[in-house]
Amino acid sequence: MKHRKLRAIGFNALGVIVFVAAVFPVFWMVSTAFKPDDEIFSTTPHPVPAHPTLDHFSSVLHDNVAEVSFWTYFRNSLGLALATVLVSGLLALLAATAVARFRFRFRTTFLIMLLVVQMVPLEALVIPLFLDLKKLELLNSLGGLVLVYIGFAVPFAILMLRGFVAAVPKELEEAAAIDGAGPVRVFFSVLLPLVAPGLVATSIFSFITAWNEFVFAFTFLDDQDKATLPMMMQYFFGHNGNAWGSIMAASTLLTLPVIVFFLAVQRRMVSGLTAGAVKG
Amino acid sequence: MLDTAPAVRTAPDRDDPGPARPRRRFRPGPYLLILPTVAVIAVLMFWPIVQIGIMSFQKVGTRQLRGEPAEQVGLDNFRTIVDDPFFWQTLRHTVLFAVVAVVLTMVVGTLIGLLLNKLGRRMANVVAGGVLVAWATPPVTAAIIFSWLFGSTGGLVNWTLDKLPDALVGGGWDDHNWFATPLSTYTVLTICVVWQACPFVAVSVLAGLKSVPSELYEAARVDGSSAWRSFWSITVPLLKPIFLLLIVMSIIWDFKVFTQLFIMSGLANRDAFNLSLYAYSEAFGSLNPKLGMGSAIAVVLTLLLLVVTAVYVRVMVRQGETR
């Protein structure tokens, strides 16, 4: 009995260590963001700010980075992410319905294509997509970038959504059809409300994809007033390398929404990524 | 997952009247539903891959960007690459980093997954939540946070190492620059990437462990098997598919790591390049863009990953993911 208790204490201690190691970098980011400069560069680091200050946040929100205000970066990032969510959500819902509700030729081919596409090294596609968008005169435009992000977000969104569509009992749709509802009506009145939670989870994933993306935005957007938050971070970090308080305040503003969203949907994300691998 | 197949599968043609009637009516529905997605993927993923292939045999530079037709150069790009020791250096960085990062991610992630499975429910939820914070952090911020932790002035790591006894870690950590040599740059990169990647492994392994019937472990314990033996004889074989999948995904993610290295070390620091950074820098890094060369390097990277992807798709198909 005593042996078992000792073991439980040991495991819990390990759990605490893992928790601290996992959270510490993010904690340190937030903590630095609230510290006055003399504490940040003090020879004895303080884990928690002794004299917390909002100076760094206010300087991020009010001073310009590369002559552009934080809110411009924020608006660009938010617009890109929302447009990606809307379009990729619609495309994914259509395709997920096809895959979950119908048997058709090329269905397996289509699913394999979705799997393969997720493994394509996106960084390798920067070069050709740069030239294509240049030809279409969509370079240096948020619209062109949204197109690219949709391509990245859709395959995973379909794989994630199809489980939700498949989980809606087909009998409900059949019952509605017998009552005289056409396919469009069935889709909007029966299927859509029932897959709504799945659609939300998928949307958050697409949102994060677009919100976090750096390489393509950095390469395709030239004008600073079209730049995104990750680009702002990179610029800030590269040009004011030692303004750690403000850099960490900006990082906090970029990161916390993602973490909150992420914790809300993680369960479904894991099942989307490895669904089936644990079926047993 | 519900199997909707029987409902729509056509009945066996017992009373097929003959060749005059087609065996199955063509229904455009599902094709219309997947059409937009297929179009998007074809234009944004498959066509660009074909383009990299074409461009890797071309010279595409400033003049081509102005609209002149590309110059066919045959295998010149590849010949230049293979003859350049710098290419082999970036390839070495890519492979070594992937090997170290994948092994560490798998080992640490699996251990955390096993631990989560041993903990009580409340504690497990707290730890899992904390681990997910690491996973959720955007790559750009993760790279910046680790640059700060390993910063030469005010960085916490240097301070800690400086306080530790010199006999243990050596001295002179005070303003040590972690980004001065490729080896120490990659050390920081590895810690950053593993920190972000092992939560996914942990959570997936945990999901797998939950599916293993606990009777198996009890039976093994009754038979006198140690925890170590149980892990290798029960857990590993049963979770083999998921381990395989996680390894393949980790290899692919770590092979093409870009954003974190770009932020930490940048385009100016050529010594620390990996393949993706090399390709990018050839294509966009200077006033003399060499998009053909960049494409050739990207082709090498893609071909290497293609092998791994083939394994991945095979596993997924075997798992019934495409059923």
Side-chain angles (χ1 to χ4, degrees):
Chain A
M1 227 52 265
K2 202 173 171 198
H3 180 65
R4 182 171 287 182
K5 209 167 182 184
L6 270 177
R7 262 167 55 113
I9 293 174
F11 283 135
N12 280 320
L14 278 176
V16 171
I17 294 173
V18 169
F19 179 85
V20 170
V23 176
F24 185 77
V26 172
F27 163 78
W28 195 244
M29 164 185 83
V30 178
S31 151
T32 306
F34 283 104
K35 281 178 197 168
D37 275 336
D38 57 327
E39 275 181 51
I40 292 177
F41 294 107
S42 142
T43 42
T44 45
H46 304 252
V48 182
H51 307 282
T53 167
L54 287 172
D55 286 358
H56 299 305
F57 285 98
S58 92
S59 88
V60 168
L61 295 178
H62 295 120
D63 301 349
N64 292 346
V65 177
E67 291 170 19
V68 175
S69 107
F70 172 86
W71 294 108
T72 306
Y73 296 110
F74 180 81
R75 211 173 43 234
N76 294 339
S77 274
L78 190 67
L80 271 173
L82 289 179
T84 308
V85 164
L86 278 179
V87 183
S88 64
L90 181 69
L91 294 187
L93 186 59
L94 296 178
T97 310
V99 171
R101 279 289 183 259
F102 298 95
R103 300 265 132 180
F104 51 96
R105 270 192 80 192
F106 303 120
R107 183 176 169 280
T108 310
T109 318
F110 179 64
L111 285 169
I112 291 180
M113 179 185 84
L114 296 180
L115 294 175
V116 173
V117 153
Q118 289 194 69
M119 294 299 127
V120 170
L122 295 180
E123 285 74 13
L125 301 187
V126 184
I127 300 169
L129 284 173
F130 176 85
L131 292 174
D132 293 339
L133 289 185
K134 190 176 154 63
K135 255 179 232 146
L136 298 169
E137 296 190 2
L138 283 173
L139 214 56
N140 195 20
S141 91
L142 293 173
L145 201 56
V146 167
L147 267 180
V148 176
Y149 288 175
I150 291 167
F152 298 167
V154 156
F156 181 75
I158 296 173
L159 293 175
M160 202 165 149
L161 253 186
R162 79 180 179 114
F164 289 98
V165 178
V168 175
K170 208 175 159 52
E171 290 74 23
L172 287 179
E173 289 160 46
E174 284 162 0
I178 290 169
D179 289 348
V184 176
R185 178 86 197 277
V186 170
F187 182 81
F188 282 104
S189 307
V190 181
L191 191 60
L192 196 57
L194 288 169
V195 293
L199 206 53
V200 170
T202 314
S203 298
I204 293 179
F205 172 78
S206 305
F207 187 96
I208 294 174
T209 306
W211 182 262
N212 285 358
E213 203 286 323
F214 169 71
V215 187
F216 285 80
F218 179 80
T219 313
F220 294 173
L221 301 175
D222 266 341
D223 297 341
Q224 201 62 25
D225 62 356
K226 286 180 184 145
T228 62
L229 282 176
M231 287 169 72
M232 180 199 87
M233 291 305 311
Q234 190 265 345
Y235 184 91
F236 206 170
F237 179 58
H239 289 78
N240 309 301
N242 269 326
W244 286 113
S246 303
I247 292 172
M248 289 298 130
S251 301
T252 306
L253 293 173
L254 173 71
T255 308
L256 286 188
V258 183
I259 291 183
V260 171
F261 277 161
F262 197 93
L263 289 176
V265 288
Q266 50 85 10
R267 225 166 268 251
R268 292 176 181 122
M269 260 187 74
V270 177
S271 60
L273 282 167
T274 60
V278 292
K279 230 176 348 197
Chain B
M1 197 175 288
L2 278 177
D3 187 11
T4 55
V8 280
R9 210 172 274 150
T10 46
D13 309 346
R14 228 174 301 147
D15 48 1
D16 196 337
R21 209 184 77 181
R23 272 177 65 232
R24 195 201 233 187
R25 199 160 55 91
F26 174 75
R27 287 186 310 182
Y31 297 101
L32 289 176
L33 292 175
I34 64 168
L35 186 69
T37 302
V38 173
V40 163
I41 293 176
V43 171
L44 291 168
M45 314 285 258
F46 285 134
W47 172 233
I49 292 180
V50 175
Q51 281 179 302
I52 314 182
I54 298 173
M55 277 163 55
S56 65
F57 298 105
Q58 291 174 337
K59 187 179 173 202
V60 186
T62 321
R63 278 197 283 165
Q64 281 70 31
L65 283 177
R66 265 193 249 115
E68 286 178 34
E71 214 179 292
Q72 298 298 333
V73 293
L75 284 169
D76 275 8
N77 290 332
F78 291 100
R79 237 175 257 135
T80 318
I81 294 172
V82 176
D83 288 340
D84 187 353
F86 187 68
F87 164 77
W88 296 103
Q89 183 188 321
T90 60
L91 181 64
R92 202 163 54 237
H93 286 165
T94 307
V95 174
L96 281 178
F97 168 74
V99 169
V100 174
V102 169
V103 170
L104 280 176
T105 307
M106 287 307 297
V107 171
V108 177
T110 305
L111 287 175
I112 296 175
L114 289 168
L115 178 68
L116 287 172
N117 196 36
K118 290 274 184 217
L119 289 172
R121 229 190 54 191
R122 281 233 323 266
M123 188 66 183
N125 279 340
V126 171
V127 177
V131 174
L132 287 170
V133 167
W135 183 9
T137 307
V140 172
T141 23
I144 293 178
I145 296 173
F146 277 83
S147 303
W148 166 223
L149 284 168
F150 286 84
S152 51
T153 32
L156 190 65
V157 173
N158 279 355
W159 180 83
T160 313
L161 287 171
D162 201 43
K163 289 290 173 231
L164 288 173
D166 285 1
L168 218 59
V169 292
W173 290 105
D174 193 15
D175 36 37
H176 176 73
N177 180 2
W178 284 87
F179 302 98
T181 69
L183 184 64
S184 65
T185 305
Y186 274 91
T187 308
V188 181
L189 180 71
T190 307
I191 297 173
C192 177
V193 167
V194 171
W195 173 73
Q196 282 209 282
C198 62
F200 173 63
V201 175
V203 175
S204 306
V205 168
L206 177 66
L209 287 171
K210 296 267 187 229
S211 72
V212 178
S214 56
E215 291 84 13
L216 286 178
Y217 293 105
E218 274 157 37
R221 216 179 45 232
V222 170
D223 290 346
S225 149
S226 64
W228 178 255
R229 177 89 194 276
S230 294
F231 174 76
W232 289 106
S233 311
I234 302 174
T235 315
V236 172
L238 281 176
L239 297 192
K240 202 178 137 202
I242 194 165
F243 278 127
L244 198 53
L245 194 68
L246 289 170
I247 291 172
V248 168
M249 290 173 101
S250 304
I251 292 175
I252 289 171
W253 287 335
D254 291 343
F255 232 87
K256 59 183 191 185
V257 65
F258 182 94
T259 303
Q260 290 93 329
L261 187 60
F262 184 93
I263 299 279
M264 281 183 184
S265 134
L267 285 183
N269 189 3
R270 284 175 69 84
D271 281 348
F273 274 10
N274 65 0
L275 272 183
S276 7
L277 224 59
Y278 183 33
Y280 188 89
S281 130
E282 286 293 306
F284 301 107
S286 68
L287 293 172
N288 173 26
K290 288 181 267 185
L291 292 121
M293 274 288 286
S295 298
I297 301 163
V299 164
V300 174
L301 179 66
T302 311
L303 286 178
L304 287 170
L305 288 179
L306 204 63
V307 182
V308 188
T309 307
V311 177
Y312 168 78
V313 171
R314 230 174 93 96
V315 174
M316 289 300 259
V317 171
R318 278 229 201 116
Q319 291 309 307
E321 266 307 282
T322 54
R323 225 174 275 145

